[in-house]
Amino acid sequence: MPAANLTRTEAEQRASIVRAPSYEVLLDLTSTGETFRSETVVRFEATPGASTFIEACSTAVHEVVLNGRPLEPGSVSDGTRIRLDGLDAENELRVVADARYTNTGEGLHRFVDPVDGETYLYTEFAVAEANRVFAVFDQPDLKASFRFTIAAPAHWQVLSNAPTPTPAAAAPDAGTPPTAVWSFEAGPVISSYIVAIIAGPYRAWHADARSADGRAIPLGLFTRASLAAYAEPDVMFETVQAGLAFYEHAFGVSYPYGKYDQIFVPEYNWGAMENVGAVTFNESYLFRSRVSDARREQRSIVVLHELSHMWFGNSVTMRWWNDLWLNESFATWASTLATSQVTEFTGVWATFASDEKTHAAEQDQLPSTHPIVAQIDDLADVEVNFDAITYDKGASVLKQLVAWVGLDAFQRGVGAYLTAHAGGNANLRDLLGELERASGRDLGRWSELWLETAGVNTLRTVVETDAAGTITAAHVEQTASPPHPTLRPHRLAIGCYSLGDAGLARTHRVELDVDGAITEVPGLVGLPLPEVLLVNDDDLTYAKVRLDARSLGAATTHLAEMTDPVARAVVLGSAWDAVRDAEVAASDFVRLVLGSIGHETQSAARSLALTRLELAVGRYLAEEHREQIAAETGDAVWALAELAGAGSDAQLQFVKAFTRIAATPAHADVLGSLLDGSIKLDGLEIDLDLRWELVIARAALGAASDDEIDDALARDDTAKGRQLAETALAARPDQAVKDTAWRRVVTDTSLSNDLARAIADGWRRTPSPELLASTVHEYFAVLQSVWASRSFTMASLVVSRLYPAPLVSPEVAAVTRAWLDANPEPAPLHRLVSEQLSELERALAAQARDASNLSGDAQ
């Protein structure tokens, strides 16, 4: 069921009444049933005589006692809120209830490991899900201390935000397994959404990190027992130790808490979550098999992202969710900076340019785009705002701000902000004030233009030359889309790239401030016109980039010879954006990638280019030649895999890409030969995860038998293996299979979040998109009921993953528009569907552009 909603107005009113809450929570996790016992005592100050409410999303409320007065649960509780009338200056509330375990990754999630039958629990309380476990004023500005007493099986680990106490054995009941009680000390004063409880027979490793203030910070690492072999504690601890030292030095503030645990938990909805001192991670970051360097880089970024939140987001927390970006944008920028400084992935800014900024610009062109500082009226608005605007655009804008005010001034300002508001709540104005004092710049206009308006600008360089090819005039042209016409100030560089013995290398660079529609660039006048003029060289600002015709031709022809990885990322990102804007034919982009990617040296850049290649082939090519180019692309990627160095990162990436791009019976045969060993590539091991990728690819092509899928599952009868088997089964190109898979995800509430995702992924996986047409009308018929009855995670999964996005057709677009016109509410549901339509319309336009290119070739 959906969690309790909360409006901003309600939160502000409650914060004006309630002060200084503290909680004592008793949880009995010894039961094997669907519910658990929850007892909460909350003490708080309040305005005498006032009324308010507390959230408690319970299956049954047994007892409510306010200041010694028993209240009738049926009269004061509606199942999500308890009404509190006649408050005193000092109050004590006791709530005894039954709460329900979930299988959706929200509240208290319960998972049984099929390998050993053991039960694992963890909480996920963002955005406001703590009330699924205990009664709580569930809003970020009512920070509190939490003291937990937890009964659980005696062989379990039990973790929370405070250090774990020694458990006391409980009096045994005859015939039942032994239990114990963990009585935690009161934890730090924090917001409810970053409270955590993790319980189960987790395997543990321990180390420590030295803080600048001399403390030894205890570090913990935890995984399920069946995944302990993949924990890599040295990597995880070393990354945290280096990151903690980096952040303390960068911002001049010591680590604010008493411990730092990292826990890999099953069936997790997020990449990770910054719970104070008890960070939870998705198990996909436990590498069961060999992964690319790009994937290892991403794990380092995520580890450092969550660590940065201990300062920015946890110690200093937003007052309300409109400033969510203060948490996530900062953590995204800071973790990229830290990764570049303290890990092996020193080229991570190239990844940022090609990945995060691209995602931000794509989100910024959807009809649902919003300012970085978003309008958040209630919790439903927050749920859909964990997007590329909040994370990636915000981080891109911060990177631009750092280029403008200077890194030293920025870090001093942030350090002052963290010191001034430590342990409390703050807002955008608080941060800007400290940055203004540190930098001496007025950031009011910058904030108004960058943070409080939506949309992305487009930048291009325009030059004039004389007969000798010398630049006589140059300017940067800035434009904006009609719906979001704001022109912004940019600190950027323009690079001159010329061909030589070192390839396409930079020979000159001009850095300047751009503002308004036209900005003159006198620093280019008098220079010979280079092969490439690259606007936004070094990727300093956030904008779409368009190259002039000469530069675009040279850059795409010689992309493999461009020596700077950030410059390559800017060029490829510009080409990709032009494809999505139907300015460049998708078939030309396919040729660009295939002609250059064999020379790409950066793992992350190679990974992203291959992902874009897959999307271009699958959705952006004209129907007239899609089948032919798909076959040729598969052939080319397989050839790249054969030519790559034995055991190289490139070899692994090309083979994995081939499993996604394979489109013909001949491709299926190659996949089968890799599986049975009749084709071998030196240095390539067909390990657990690669085997599944081969099997799923063959299943989508109709080549994998039941025995083949059963054999893969027999080799990997784990939770992950069972999910991947469901993906393979749902990927088969059979109408009945597709329809059954679709309806299981919609109707079977016993499916966990990860299992539903796995089936949905298989349903979407097809070289024959017409197989997805049969459920189009049923999809729109169930949306409102699904949204009303399911939790946000499961409802949004249905909305986003069961939309027939691979079926690029005007008919689907027309049906989607009709539904949107008839269903303006609820706004978050309308937004998610409108985003699907926007991407579909973009694909239709791209296909039309590619078709016109095909017609031009024919002429």
Side-chain angles (χ1 to χ4, degrees):
M1 63 179 290
N5 197 10
L6 179 71
T7 69
R8 181 175 184 173
T9 299
E10 289 175 325
E12 289 173 345
Q13 290 173 345
R14 183 161 65 179
S16 71
I17 294 170
V18 173
R19 295 173 298 280
S22 66
Y23 298 85
E24 294 184 5
V25 179
L26 172 63
L27 301 176
D28 184 352
L29 306 181
T30 61
S31 169
T32 59
E34 297 301 313
T35 62
F36 57 93
R37 187 82 162 184
S38 172
E39 300 181 15
T40 305
V41 174
V42 53
R43 299 178 179 89
F44 59 98
E45 300 172 8
T47 303
S51 297
T52 189
F53 62 91
I54 193 168
E55 292 92 329
C57 188
S58 307
T59 60
V61 177
H62 301 293
E63 184 180 341
V64 179
V65 179
L66 177 62
N67 297 328
R69 293 183 287 112
L71 306 179
E72 174 55 44
S75 300
V76 297
S77 173
D78 64 2
T80 60
R81 291 179 174 184
I82 296 173
R83 190 176 71 253
L84 305 174
D85 296 326
L87 296 174
D88 295 337
E90 302 282 342
N91 299 273
E92 180 178 291
L93 172 70
R94 172 180 166 82
V95 177
V96 180
D98 291 336
R100 186 176 298 279
Y101 294 109
T102 73
N103 66 349
T104 66
E106 301 148 310
L108 183 56
H109 184 97
R110 183 168 64 178
F111 167 86
V112 178
D113 192 334
V115 173
D116 55 19
E118 291 281 9
T119 297
Y120 292 85
L121 308 176
Y122 66 86
T123 57
E124 177 50 61
F125 288 163
V127 170
E129 305 280 354
N131 63 86
R132 291 184 184 271
V133 177
F134 54 90
V136 58
F137 299 119
D138 219 347
Q139 62 188 74
D141 59 343
L142 287 178
K143 285 188 164 183
S145 66
F146 298 82
R147 182 192 297 270
F148 289 105
T149 301
I150 298 174
H155 68 292
W156 282 15
Q157 302 269 0
V158 178
L159 308 170
S160 188
N161 309 98
T164 298
T166 301
D173 292 331
T176 62
T179 61
V181 175
W182 283 258
S183 299
F184 288 82
E185 294 298 320
V189 175
I190 58 178
S191 300
S192 55
Y193 78 93
I194 44 179
V195 172
I197 301 161
I198 301 97
Y202 288 89
R203 190 70 58 85
W205 296 261
H206 298 281
D208 61 62
R210 183 64 59 178
S211 173
D213 60 13
R215 290 175 298 147
I217 308 298
L219 307 180
L221 179 68
F222 301 83
T223 74
R224 284 190 282 137
S226 63
L227 294 175
Y230 314 117
E232 296 185 85
D234 290 347
V235 173
M236 298 297 293
F237 288 143
E238 288 169 7
T239 304
V240 168
Q241 289 160 343
L244 189 145
F246 176 83
Y247 291 137
E248 288 189 331
H249 178 265
F251 305 116
V253 179
S254 297
Y255 178 72
Y257 301 109
K259 71 177 181 81
Y260 194 78
D261 292 332
Q262 300 176 96
I263 310 100
F264 288 95
V265 296
E267 299 186 323
Y268 203 51
N269 290 325
W270 308 73
M273 179 63 200
E274 67 269 19
N275 311 304
V276 166
V279 176
T280 38
F281 285 88
N282 193 299
E283 289 180 339
S284 65
Y285 290 116
L286 286 174
F287 301 142
R288 309 187 315 157
S289 303
R290 185 184 167 205
V291 298
S292 67
D293 291 344
R295 186 65 179 156
R296 294 192 306 108
E297 177 185 280
Q298 181 60 31
R299 180 174 65 181
S300 293
I301 295 170
V302 170
V303 170
L304 293 168
H305 179 110
E306 304 310 323
L307 178 61
S308 75
H309 273 308
M310 299 302 122
W311 289 265
F312 219 104
N314 291 2
S315 176
V316 182
T317 311
M318 67 217 161
R319 287 200 179 95
W320 179 246
W321 295 98
N322 60 305
D323 277 326
L324 172 64
W325 81 278
L326 281 175
N327 291 14
E328 299 305 343
S329 300
F330 178 85
T332 302
W333 172 82
S335 60
T336 306
L337 178 65
T339 300
S340 73
Q341 298 293 312
V342 304
T343 76
E344 65 185 283
F345 305 109
T346 56
V348 68
W349 284 116
T351 306
F352 185 87
S354 59
D355 193 352
E356 277 79 3
K357 282 197 172 180
T358 297
H359 290 155
E362 290 174 0
Q363 183 88 41
D364 219 358
Q365 295 171 86
L366 292 172
S368 58
T369 189
H370 55 84
I372 295 171
V373 181
Q375 179 69 32
I376 302 294
D377 292 327
D378 61 14
L379 296 180
D381 287 344
V382 188
E383 295 281 14
V384 292
N385 260 41
F386 283 88
D387 59 16
I389 302 293
T390 299
Y391 284 75
D392 301 330
K393 180 181 178 180
S396 302
V397 168
L398 287 179
K399 186 173 188 283
Q400 190 265 153
L401 178 61
V402 170
W404 189 40
V405 305
L407 179 60
D408 288 345
F410 182 80
Q411 290 180 334
R412 287 197 308 274
V414 169
Y417 168 83
L418 293 173
T419 300
H421 301 282
N425 296 88
N427 59 24
L428 170 62
R429 187 61 251 171
D430 297 321
L431 175 61
L432 292 181
E434 298 296 349
L435 291 174
E436 287 174 337
R437 282 185 281 277
S439 67
R441 289 184 181 266
D442 181 355
L443 299 180
R445 179 172 180 267
W446 178 88
S447 173
E448 178 185 349
L449 296 177
W450 277 106
L451 302 180
E452 299 164 44
T453 60
V456 57
N457 299 123
T458 300
L459 303 173
R460 50 174 53 87
T461 304
V462 180
V463 299
E464 297 176 11
T465 61
D466 60 19
T470 300
I471 298 174
T472 58
H475 67 262
V476 173
E477 181 180 282
Q478 178 180 190
T479 57
S481 65
H484 304 286
T486 302
L487 299 181
R488 299 176 176 87
H490 300 264
R491 183 71 180 177
L492 58 80
I494 300 171
C496 301
Y497 286 79
S498 299
L499 280 168
D501 293 340
L504 189 58
R506 187 166 66 195
T507 55
H508 191 77
R509 179 181 183 274
V510 176
E511 187 169 325
L512 73 158
D513 290 320
V514 167
D515 203 351
I518 300 292
T519 302
E520 299 295 332
V521 190
L524 291 177
V525 175
L527 297 175
L529 183 65
E531 275 82 6
V532 175
L533 269 175
L534 184 59
V535 64
N536 200 27
D537 198 18
D538 291 328
D539 191 47
L540 298 182
T541 195
Y542 168 75
K544 296 168 65 171
V545 169
R546 289 295 182 268
L547 305 184
D548 62 88
R550 171 187 167 93
S551 296
L552 179 61
T556 54
T557 300
H558 300 286
L559 183 61
E561 301 167 66
M562 188 168 259
T563 54
D564 182 67
V566 175
R568 290 198 303 272
V570 172
V571 169
L572 194 62
S574 175
W576 175 243
D577 187 67
V579 171
R580 285 176 50 80
D581 283 353
E583 296 172 11
V584 169
S587 50
D588 288 342
F589 180 81
V590 170
R591 284 189 283 271
L592 169 63
V593 172
L594 293 177
S596 62
I597 197 168
H599 304 280
E600 177 57 62
T601 59
Q602 299 283 315
S603 179
R606 194 163 46 235
S607 174
L608 187 62
L610 289 167
T611 299
R612 290 170 173 168
L613 178 67
E614 179 191 346
L615 183 57
V617 170
R619 298 192 197 175
Y620 292 168
L621 289 173
E623 273 303 313
E624 293 89 335
H625 64 182
R626 184 171 71 87
E627 188 174 324
Q628 176 189 341
I629 292 183
E632 293 171 351
T633 301
D635 293 343
V637 171
W638 174 244
L640 288 166
E642 291 183 299
L643 292 170
S648 65
D649 188 72
Q651 180 194 63
L652 179 66
Q653 286 182 303
F654 289 139
V655 170
K656 286 176 173 282
F658 179 64
T659 68
R660 300 289 305 183
I661 291 172
T664 68
H667 294 161
D669 290 342
V670 172
L671 295 167
S673 296
L674 281 172
L675 265 179
D676 64 25
S678 56
I679 290 180
K680 296 181 183 294
L681 296 180
D682 289 344
L684 182 72
E685 177 188 354
I686 309 301
D687 53 28
L688 277 180
D689 289 338
L690 182 54
R691 177 173 295 277
W692 276 117
E693 290 180 65
L694 295 169
V695 169
I696 292 169
R698 281 176 50 78
L701 294 171
S705 66
D706 289 344
D707 288 344
E708 191 171 299
I709 298 171
D710 290 343
D711 175 68
L713 181 57
R715 295 168 183 263
D716 184 27
D717 192 11
T718 63
K720 186 64 176 177
R722 292 182 183 189
Q723 292 163 17
L724 293 169
E726 290 282 10
T727 300
L729 292 169
R732 292 176 296 178
D734 178 90
Q735 190 66 66
V737 166
K738 293 295 185 187
D739 292 351
T740 298
W742 189 93
R743 292 190 178 98
R744 282 184 69 195
V745 176
V746 171
T747 64
D748 188 351
T749 58
S750 70
L751 294 176
S752 71
N753 50 351
D754 268 8
L755 200 53
R757 272 189 281 265
I759 297 168
D761 288 349
W763 173 79
R764 266 197 177 191
R765 181 77 176 266
T766 177
S768 305
E770 62 274 8
L771 289 171
L772 311 184
S774 61
T775 51
V776 168
H777 292 284
E778 192 172 349
Y779 168 86
F780 290 107
V782 303
L783 283 183
Q784 287 285 3
S785 62
V786 165
W787 195 263
S789 62
R790 307 289 290 274
S791 71
F792 174 79
T793 290
M794 302 307 287
S796 60
L797 188 158
V798 169
V799 174
S800 299
R801 292 178 183 256
L802 294 185
Y803 184 85
L807 183 61
V808 181
S809 77
E811 293 77 17
V812 174
V815 174
T816 308
R817 286 188 208 100
W819 186 90
L820 288 168
D821 290 343
N823 294 270
E825 298 291 340
L829 172 59
H830 188 275
R831 168 180 167 165
L832 292 177
V833 177
S834 72
E835 290 176 348
Q836 297 293 331
L837 174 62
S838 179
E839 288 299 306
L840 175 57
E841 290 175 334
R842 192 174 288 274
L844 286 166
Q847 287 188 1
R849 174 65 182 84
D850 196 54
S852 70
N853 196 57
L854 187 64
S855 300
D857 291 344
Q859 294 170 1

